[in-house]
Amino acid sequence: MSSVFETATTPAAIPITFVTKSTWDAIRNELPAQARQFAEANGFAAKPGKCLTLPAADGSIAQVLFGLEDETHKARDPFRPGALPGLLPPGVYRFANAPYDTRLAALAFALGAYRFGRYRKNEAPDVRLVPSDGIDAAEIARMADAAALARDLINTPSNDMGPAELADAARELAARFGASFDCITGEALEQGFPLIHAVGMASTRAPRLIDLTWGDPAHPKVTLVGKGVCFDTGGLDIKPSSGMLLMKKDMGGAANVLALAQMVMDAKLKLRLRVLIPAVENAVAGNAFRPLDIFRSRKGVTVEIGNTDAEGRLVLADALALADEERPDLLVDLGTLTGAARVALGPDLPPFYTNDETLAADVAAHAKGENDPLWRMPLWPAYDAWLDSKTADINNAPSGGFAGSITCALFLQRFVEHAASWLHVDIYGWTPSAKPGRPEGGECQAARAIYKLLSQRYA
């Protein structure tokens, strides 16, 4: 269980009282006179995110006041309590009253305690939380621990997180939960997965396809595919330096499917899980794939390279083709794929695509319920013709620049034929500036929402 939760009985846990502008007068009037005077002297006005520790007569902390938005506030953040770990002195705490959503507040508290400390001392806050009554602390810890895995993998720079290291992380996860593990490289990769090989062949770090399976084969089949581009120069269509700056996060799809897999296996859901991660580095060298090259994909579809910087959809295509051959009940892919998605929806709201109306409704509901935002966008059939090529079956990057996220989804859809249901999510995998419960850096996106969907279906 995540170390942020205190499971032992702790009568001395310091109470955290949540206040809003509308409740502050009543709460202030109930404070002891000395505490009320201290709050007034410090100008505490119950503004969202404001925190004040009230002293006891012996100098210890009597309680904590923390401001939230009023219930009528249209931009109310259920993760606001996620700021607390960075504000509180060391100690054990409890919620004295209910925030907007006690479960999400506890999750935000756990997520907000994350720190990435691999390369410099950056200790996690020395705070612990006694879970409120009725809260499933094990479930919250499961999600927080998985989010930490995704964040750690994304935050690790590419010199220490190449295709081999990503495979090692997947191998360790498989060993932890008794899953089987395989990794396809070399000639087998070149022959069986030509697009994955083409994208990764210019790097000195060999491309590979990571394959993890877990669970009872008799259970419903759920396959997760994650884009594992460990660094993306853009290839011969090279990115400017500003565009390369965050490309260590281009394996964010892989990091998030591993986080999702960890949640699924830890919860022992009744499904047969398969995880496929095409792990590559899109590098520049004399043998790099070129614009207008044509490759025959695993599915047999010939693909003309319109742009070598649209490499994520290429590696996902071969992995999706393999996944689809098994006819899974649900096929999910996650990838940091298009700048167009960020232009349309920004970094915090990934678009998702599916033609399954029931799945779409369930994804939207769980995204809202878990404060793991997702927004449905259409697999617009009229744009499918934009993928046409004069010399191959399909082009990976249509010219024109319109609807980039949609055309990427339509490209991937060409490689999914037999799965009963398919979900594609175009994530960003990064928090550009810190928010409560979401430190700046690598982020776990879509995984919690999809996990809750799977929990509902396959508990």
Side-chain angles (χ1 to χ4, degrees):
M1 183 180 294
S2 177
S3 60
V4 77
F5 291 116
E6 179 63 60
T7 54
T9 302
T10 312
I14 301 166
I16 299 171
T17 302
F18 296 103
V19 296
T20 67
K21 287 185 177 180
S22 62
T23 64
W24 172 227
D25 286 344
I27 290 173
R28 178 179 54 195
N29 291 335
E30 292 179 0
L31 293 174
Q34 185 179 8
R36 184 166 59 249
Q37 184 177 3
F38 185 87
E40 291 172 353
N42 281 273
F44 185 78
K47 293 181 180 179
K50 293 298 182 181
C51 183
L52 182 66
T53 56
L54 300 178
D58 62 358
S60 63
I61 300 173
Q63 67 173 300
V64 174
L65 302 176
F66 186 73
L68 299 176
E69 298 90 348
D70 275 307
E71 289 188 8
T72 57
H73 196 286
K74 57 185 175 183
R76 191 174 65 176
D77 183 1
F79 270 10
R80 178 70 66 185
L84 282 164
L87 299 172
L88 296 173
V92 179
Y93 296 84
R94 63 179 176 85
F95 294 162
N97 60 347
Y100 319 131
D101 185 311
T102 303
R103 185 182 68 87
L104 287 181
L107 173 60
F109 194 99
L111 293 173
Y114 170 85
R115 298 293 183 274
F116 181 63
R118 178 167 176 170
Y119 298 96
R120 69 175 187 180
K121 190 174 183 180
N122 194 5
E123 294 179 355
D126 186 16
V127 294
R128 295 172 69 81
L129 180 68
V130 177
S132 303
D133 291 341
I135 296 299
D136 187 343
E139 175 77 345
I140 294 172
R142 178 178 297 124
M143 290 190 283
D145 290 346
L149 170 65
R151 289 168 169 177
D152 281 347
L153 292 174
I154 297 170
N155 285 329
T156 301
S158 298
N159 59 311
D160 286 333
M161 187 52 63
E165 289 82 6
L166 186 56
D168 287 343
R171 185 183 290 106
E172 290 172 10
L173 185 65
R176 177 179 167 190
F177 291 100
S180 63
F181 178 86
D182 190 21
C183 199
I184 302 170
T185 59
E187 185 177 351
L189 186 78
E190 182 176 1
Q191 296 301 316
F193 305 91
L195 297 179
I196 298 174
H197 176 264
V199 172
M201 64 185 176
S203 175
T204 57
R205 302 192 287 182
R208 63 205 66 210
L209 178 64
I210 299 162
D211 189 351
L212 179 156
T213 56
W214 172 90
D216 188 338
H219 287 160
K221 297 175 182 177
V222 175
T223 301
L224 311 177
V225 181
K227 174 187 171 184
V229 178
C230 295
F231 193 82
D232 180 22
T233 65
L236 292 178
D237 288 307
I238 195 165
K239 296 177 183 287
S241 59
S242 59
M244 265 190 251
L245 190 60
L246 284 181
M247 282 302 99
K248 70 175 184 178
K249 77 170 186 64
D250 215 22
M251 38 63 70
N256 275 280
V257 298
L258 289 176
L260 176 53
Q262 177 173 309
M263 288 185 257
V264 166
M265 293 187 290
D266 188 56
K268 298 180 175 61
L269 297 187
K270 294 178 181 178
L271 55 85
R272 202 286 259 144
L273 177 70
R274 190 177 192 184
V275 176
L276 295 171
I277 296 173
V280 303
E281 179 179 28
N282 187 18
V284 177
N287 64 330
F289 73 124
R290 296 163 289 263
L292 299 189
D293 280 356
I294 296 175
F295 297 93
R296 187 174 298 279
S297 67
R298 176 179 180 83
K299 190 175 177 64
V301 175
T302 56
V303 181
E304 181 183 28
I305 306 303
N307 192 309
T308 63
D309 196 20
E311 85 300 329
R313 66 198 69 181
L314 295 173
V315 299
L316 286 177
D318 269 355
L320 284 171
L322 173 62
D324 192 59
E325 291 166 13
E326 201 177 36
R327 300 175 182 265
D329 296 271
L330 177 60
L331 175 54
V332 178
D333 76 81
L334 302 180
T336 52
L337 284 155
T338 69
R342 314 288 78 82
V343 171
L345 299 175
D348 301 337
L349 185 58
F352 73 91
Y353 298 83
T354 182
N355 280 327
D356 183 331
E357 296 300 322
T358 300
L359 177 62
D362 287 348
V363 168
H366 288 295
K368 182 177 181 180
E370 294 306 309
N371 196 36
D372 191 8
L374 296 168
W375 192 265
R376 189 184 187 185
M377 289 181 67
L379 288 158
W380 193 247
Y383 294 164
D384 197 65
W386 294 359
L387 298 169
D388 289 349
S389 165
K390 294 180 180 179
T391 53
D393 294 325
I394 192 171
N395 189 293
N396 79 319
S399 61
F402 292 129
S405 183
I406 295 174
T407 54
C408 176
L410 290 169
F411 178 90
L412 295 175
Q413 187 180 38
R414 296 281 189 103
F415 298 86
V416 179
E417 183 179 0
H418 302 296
S421 188
W422 171 58
L423 173 68
H424 162 62
V425 191
D426 189 344
I427 66 170
Y428 190 54
W430 190 266
T431 300
S433 57
K435 302 175 180 66
R438 292 148 291 192
E440 180 180 345
E443 190 51 275
C444 185
Q445 288 185 315
R448 289 188 293 105
I450 298 170
Y451 164 68
K452 294 303 285 189
L453 181 150
L454 297 177
S455 296
Q456 183 187 61
R457 293 187 175 189
Y458 307 114

